[in-house]
Amino acid sequence: MSNRILKVAISVPLSHAFDYLPAKSGPEALAGSRVLVPFGRKQQVGLVLDQADGTSLPADKVRRCTRTLDDQPLLSADDLWLIRFTSDYYHHPVGEVVASALPALLRQGKALNPVLRFVAITDAGASADIDSLAKRAPRQAELLELLIDAGGNGVDEDSLTDLVPTWRRAAKGLFEKGYAQRFEAVADAPEPPHVQNAEPGPDLNPDQRAALKRIRSGSGFGVYLLDGVTGSGKTEVYLQLIGDVLDAGRQVLILVPEIGLTPQLVTRLTRRLGIAPAVMHSGLTDSARLAAWRDARSGAARLLVGTRSAVFTPVPDLGLIVIDEEHDHSFKQQEGLRYSARDLAIARGKRRDVPVVLGSATPTLEVLQHCRSGNFTRLELPGRAGGARPPRFGLVDLGRAPASDGLSEPLLRAIREHLDHDGQVLIFLNRRGFAPTLICSACGHVAECNRCDSRMTVHARDRALRCHHCGAERPLDEHCTACGAGVRPLGEGTERLEDALRGHFPERSIQRIDSDSMQRRGAIHEALEIAAEGSADILVGTQMLSKGHHFPKLTLVGIVNADQGLFGTDFRSAERMAQSIIQVAGRAGRESRQGEVLIQTAFPGNPFWQHLIEGGYPRIAADALAEREETRWPPFTWLALLRSAAHGKQDAHTLLDVARRHIEDLQTEFLRVLGPVDAPMARKAGRYRAQLLIQSSDRRRLHEVLAELRPALENDPVARKVRWSIDVDPIELF
Ligand code: ADP
Ligand code: ZN
């Protein structure tokens, strides 16, 4: 046993790894193995990152690992590289990166391979007198016979439960008599699946063929953007590429947005490729998640489809990465380790020298700019694959046609007309609940959250007021808490729209789809199936409706309130609004009939609408890129946002003052430091929040500064009173 020093990552908010001596016995803890270590007064699971010859700690301070948890390293050198890269790039403690990268059960120290429990016959059992046992205990005799037939290897408990549901009681009797025994064994790794009955796809159209040819002609790493509206046939191109890679005996990693991970896609992959993908998303049980991770790692799973965190899964024979709906915000984790799964996937593709294919109808400006500068290759799929025409856009001027309960006369007329012609209608409003505000009719007092600087949302179904920022809830006020007069809900959310639509169209079936109506596991998939079949006439909902679903009968999309995007506080507001309108609009008119999109706005003269209607997303993106270049915002500069939150307002600011001084002490020629300022919502969940924005035209320099800043802040006494984080490439500035 070597006496080298192990560099161990432990899930604590400190940047460095910890030094330990190897365990006294057991397998050698190579890099990538988990170890159980004493940490403070507890035992913690850690991951060996490296071995070293020495330590800077005094010899008597170096503790010894309790034991090594893996016989073989759990993670390969490539997997460890990704962990280090993530930790370095996002300036996040490496132990917490490991915790994000591993499935929960592995993080807790459970074995990689499932341990199966078996029941088997003993020698005494084999020579027992079954007939006499059958007279006294027929169940035991029955089980004994079964175990004799099974022989020395026994039967695993799950199979026993299938064969004899009540076996446990009978087995107890056999154990007591010494006729049977239990033992545990590690399950064998599954064999890679055989490809069977892959269905052929449609003949590709010329644009698809050109895109495919271009990607196939590349060798090794390259990032390709498939830029095409929903229905333009991007998935068909992925399918061909995936087929190539599987035929070459390599594995494919497919990342999809959280809500977009539909059984529709999994079914399509299975049908067309002839193998079922391993699937990873947040709805899985811990053991199902571990099973998918294990199968990807062993190579048994050739195809892995997952949401954000699947980017960390070991995929030893990686041949291709696909990121569908590249623009989707769920690829960026917004708490803890604030990583972008898209960006990490690209880094991984580069390291492994494999192509990365991004798909979107509304690519982010970051990706578009990489295409312009030649780093990425943009491949357009301009038409709809089935030949359907793009939808027709129209504006409703709310100044001239005011809305009641969110719905204007022209929109109601259009709904009626489409329903009369056997169409399906989607009404989009990105705000759940009944109304965003409860106001007193007499004094104008507004119900606010006690813990946040925000208003309470009225939820009429549950007769509750809820804060959408911290989750606080209280019963709906009957009267104004300030003056006792009557109160009324102001503005509208999806619940109110649903009620209003039921009033206008009592004979129609209406389906509301938002996170309130879809709380039950699986509810969203059922609702979307119903919606896709066309048996709901009107769909009303939030952006849950705008992602990746095929609604063949849909002909009208109504956008209730589009004006937030025009005057949003974030420099990304317009880009975002255009993305969600185009994404929702993409649901309309996918098959034979041309779709229509009606947008309600109080500012019909704003050039944004003209550009969107005439030039679509490419025009909005070009406008926004020009503006960002001029104002020096990303993708033309790089940002990091330092956030802090504390019970005392001053503490939140003090830490950021410290940070600012540190940055100023370093060379700051290429940096601009904005703040500290209160966060746009200064109080949330009872904590005061402040932020400091660091902007640079030199990405490398920005990272050098952050690398020095992180440990300095960790060691600052104020940091203990404050929750703080560094968000590299933030997508929300609050
Ligand atoms: P996207 O991924 O861009 O939304 P899909 O690949 O899902 O588009 O294609 C949309 C629909 O058009 C699917 O039903 C698909 O089977 C069909 N389709 C795609 N390409 C073709 C083609 N070349 N010929 C006929 N149908 C196609
Ligand atoms: Zn709140």
Side-chain angles (χ1 to χ4, degrees):
M1 180 76 15
S2 80
N3 251 357
R4 303 189 69 189
I5 295 293
L6 306 181
K7 299 278 175 191
V8 179
I10 296 173
S11 182
V12 288
L14 292 172
S15 296
H16 57 87
F18 295 84
D19 291 354
Y20 282 91
L21 290 164
K24 282 232 167 69
S25 58
E28 186 181 357
L30 298 168
S33 306
R34 290 172 302 157
V35 284
L36 191 67
V37 297
F39 189 80
R41 279 186 228 153
K42 286 193 301 199
Q43 292 284 318
Q44 289 250 32
V45 176
L47 182 83
V48 180
L49 296 175
D50 216 347
Q51 297 193 352
D53 287 327
T55 170
S56 52
L57 291 176
D60 61 331
K61 285 277 189 285
V62 189
R63 300 171 83 180
R64 194 174 277 286
C65 293
T66 312
R67 65 194 169 88
T68 307
L69 296 170
D70 297 302
D71 294 339
Q72 300 287 330
L74 191 64
L75 299 180
S76 68
D78 271 316
D79 302 329
L80 289 173
W81 172 85
L82 183 63
I83 284 172
R84 278 188 195 283
F85 176 85
T86 305
S87 169
D88 291 345
Y89 186 81
Y90 291 103
H91 302 276
H92 198 82
V94 65
E96 293 188 349
V97 175
V98 171
S100 296
L102 292 182
L105 293 175
L106 294 178
R107 203 152 70 220
Q108 292 157 16
K110 298 283 183 344
L112 172 66
N113 291 303
V115 176
L116 294 183
R117 298 206 293 195
F118 291 85
V119 178
I121 193 81
T122 58
D123 288 344
S127 54
D129 179 352
I130 294 191
D131 291 338
S132 83
L133 183 63
K135 289 192 195 104
R136 286 171 287 134
R139 294 262 155 75
Q140 289 182 27
E142 200 186 320
L143 182 61
L144 189 64
E145 254 181 305
L146 194 156
L147 293 175
I148 290 173
D149 288 346
N153 292 335
V155 186
D156 70 273
E157 291 193 351
D158 286 344
S159 309
L160 270 182
T161 305
D162 288 342
L163 294 168
V164 189
T166 58
W167 67 272
R168 280 176 198 277
R169 273 195 62 189
K172 194 157 170 263
L174 297 183
F175 294 146
E176 280 161 6
K177 296 183 182 69
Y179 289 175
Q181 63 186 2
R182 287 186 130 114
F183 65 91
E184 292 184 342
V186 175
D188 295 330
E191 294 288 311
H194 294 289
V195 175
Q196 47 193 345
N197 304 327
E199 268 178 32
D203 289 333
L204 298 187
N205 64 34
D207 296 318
Q208 288 170 315
R209 278 205 303 273
L212 187 63
K213 192 167 163 216
R214 183 71 197 271
I215 301 173
R216 278 180 174 157
S217 72
S219 73
F221 174 66
V223 183
Y224 302 90
L225 168 67
L226 280 179
D227 184 348
V229 298
T230 316
S232 59
K234 299 184 292 294
T235 309
E236 286 301 325
V237 177
Y238 306 150
L239 283 164
Q240 298 289 335
L241 292 167
I242 294 167
D244 292 352
V245 176
L246 296 180
D247 287 346
R250 298 176 76 182
Q251 292 170 285
V252 181
L253 171 63
I254 304 174
L255 297 180
V256 295
E258 186 58 75
I259 295 168
L261 182 68
T262 61
Q264 289 180 26
L265 176 66
V266 174
T267 310
R268 189 162 166 196
L269 289 167
T270 310
R271 216 180 55 217
R272 290 287 302 286
L273 299 164
I275 55 171
V279 172
M280 279 182 118
H281 59 83
S282 60
L284 295 182
T285 62
D286 286 348
S287 55
R289 208 181 167 80
L290 174 58
W293 194 91
R294 182 173 57 232
D295 291 350
R297 176 183 176 278
S298 73
R302 309 311 294 167
L303 192 56
L304 176 68
V305 185
T307 50
R308 185 173 63 221
S309 66
V311 73
F312 292 111
T313 310
V315 184
D317 304 326
L318 187 65
L320 169 71
I321 302 175
V322 174
I323 305 171
D324 194 23
E325 312 288 357
E326 161 284 308
H327 63 277
D328 196 280
H329 289 171
S330 69
F331 286 125
K332 174 95 198 230
Q333 179 146 296
Q334 300 283 24
E335 58 190 20
L337 169 60
R338 294 166 185 261
Y339 67 98
S340 156
R342 177 199 63 201
D343 294 348
L344 288 181
I346 292 171
R348 200 173 172 186
K350 185 168 185 188
R351 157 97 183 172
R352 300 291 297 272
D353 198 26
V354 302
V356 179
V357 178
L358 314 176
S360 178
T362 54
T364 52
L365 300 189
E366 281 74 6
V367 166
L368 286 175
Q369 182 56 27
H370 277 305
C371 292
R372 285 187 176 186
S373 60
N375 298 332
F376 297 177
T377 305
R378 178 168 173 213
L379 302 163
E380 279 178 277
L381 298 180
R384 292 200 178 190
R389 282 168 293 166
R392 196 168 62 224
F393 282 84
L395 293 178
V396 175
D397 178 357
L398 289 174
R400 284 201 268 164
S404 138
D405 288 334
L407 302 166
S408 64
E409 251 329 298
L411 179 57
L412 285 168
R413 259 200 318 274
I415 296 173
R416 186 159 289 122
E417 194 186 294
H418 279 263
L419 292 176
D420 287 347
H421 288 88
D422 214 24
Q424 189 184 34
V425 173
L426 187 161
I427 302 296
F428 174 78
L429 175 63
N430 211 3
R431 192 154 63 197
R432 62 199 170 82
F434 187 82
T437 302
L438 185 70
I439 191 167
C440 171
S441 314
C443 75
H445 173 83
V446 165
E448 289 188 336
C449 178
N450 296 328
R451 308 167 68 214
C452 304
D453 290 338
S454 79
R455 296 174 170 189
M456 297 296 274
T457 299
V458 179
H459 285 258
R461 303 279 183 284
D462 302 331
R463 300 205 52 75
L465 288 174
R466 285 196 192 121
C467 173
H468 286 185
H469 302 284
C470 74
E473 174 166 341
R474 57 182 193 251
L476 190 59
D477 303 327
E478 305 273 341
H479 301 284
C480 175
T481 51
C483 77
V487 288
R488 66 189 169 88
L490 187 68
E492 54 280 326
T494 46
E495 279 187 8
R496 188 171 213 160
L497 286 177
E498 181 190 4
D499 290 357
L501 288 163
R502 284 190 197 287
H504 289 290
F505 305 99
E507 71 289 2
R508 298 294 185 171
S509 72
I510 297 174
Q511 171 87 55
R512 175 164 60 94
I513 298 187
D514 57 30
S515 56
D516 296 320
S517 65
M518 297 294 136
Q519 282 183 349
R520 189 169 47 79
R521 185 180 284 194
I524 175 80
H525 296 309
E526 285 165 31
L528 290 168
E529 291 291 308
I530 291 172
E533 275 166 23
S535 48
D537 300 314
I538 303 178
L539 310 170
V540 46
T542 57
Q543 58 173 356
M544 263 196 179
L545 272 172
S546 70
K547 298 189 181 182
H549 295 283
H550 297 240
F551 300 137
K553 289 185 70 184
L554 188 69
T555 54
L556 173 68
V557 171
I559 295 177
V560 173
N561 177 356
D563 290 336
Q564 300 122 295
L566 300 182
F567 309 106
T569 47
D570 195 299
F571 71 92
R572 285 192 172 85
S573 299
E575 172 192 359
R576 272 216 195 125
M577 179 50 72
Q579 284 171 340
S580 54
I581 291 175
I582 298 292
Q583 290 293 337
V584 195
R587 313 297 119 196
R590 292 175 61 97
E591 290 189 352
S592 53
R593 261 168 307 178
Q594 190 182 18
E596 184 178 356
V597 179
L598 270 187
I599 301 170
Q600 298 189 145
T601 173
F603 307 93
N606 192 301
F608 177 84
W609 298 124
Q610 203 71 34
H611 292 180
L612 183 68
I613 291 169
E614 283 168 9
Y617 184 75
R619 176 66 200 268
I620 296 292
D623 289 353
L625 273 175
E627 192 183 311
R628 302 257 191 103
E629 182 157 26
E630 194 169 315
T631 52
R632 307 304 298 158
W633 280 105
F636 300 93
T637 53
W638 306 95
L639 297 181
L641 187 64
L642 203 58
R643 293 185 177 84
S644 72
H647 289 295
K649 185 171 179 141
Q650 198 46 51
D651 293 334
H653 277 264
T654 307
L655 184 77
L656 298 183
D657 288 333
V658 170
R660 191 185 170 108
R661 277 199 300 279
H662 268 293
I663 298 168
E664 282 167 352
D665 287 345
L666 299 164
Q667 189 256 63
T668 56
E669 199 183 325
F670 297 101
L671 295 185
R672 195 151 74 107
V673 187
L674 301 155
V677 293
D678 282 351
M681 186 190 296
R683 201 169 54 104
K684 183 173 166 185
R687 285 173 199 265
Y688 289 92
R689 307 183 315 147
Q691 59 191 37
L692 183 75
L693 187 65
I694 311 165
Q695 187 179 33
S696 179
S697 52
D698 182 338
R699 187 185 204 173
R700 203 175 44 91
R701 187 70 197 124
L702 174 67
H703 280 271
E704 284 167 10
V705 167
L706 293 174
E708 298 194 40
L709 187 61
R710 168 104 220 170
L713 293 183
E714 273 173 14
N715 293 326
D716 198 282
V718 200
R720 265 171 239 138
K721 290 194 268 180
V722 176
R723 277 191 197 166
W724 61 282
S725 63
I726 296 176
D727 189 352
V728 175
D729 306 332
I731 60 167
E732 313 254 29
L733 293 190
F734 52 83

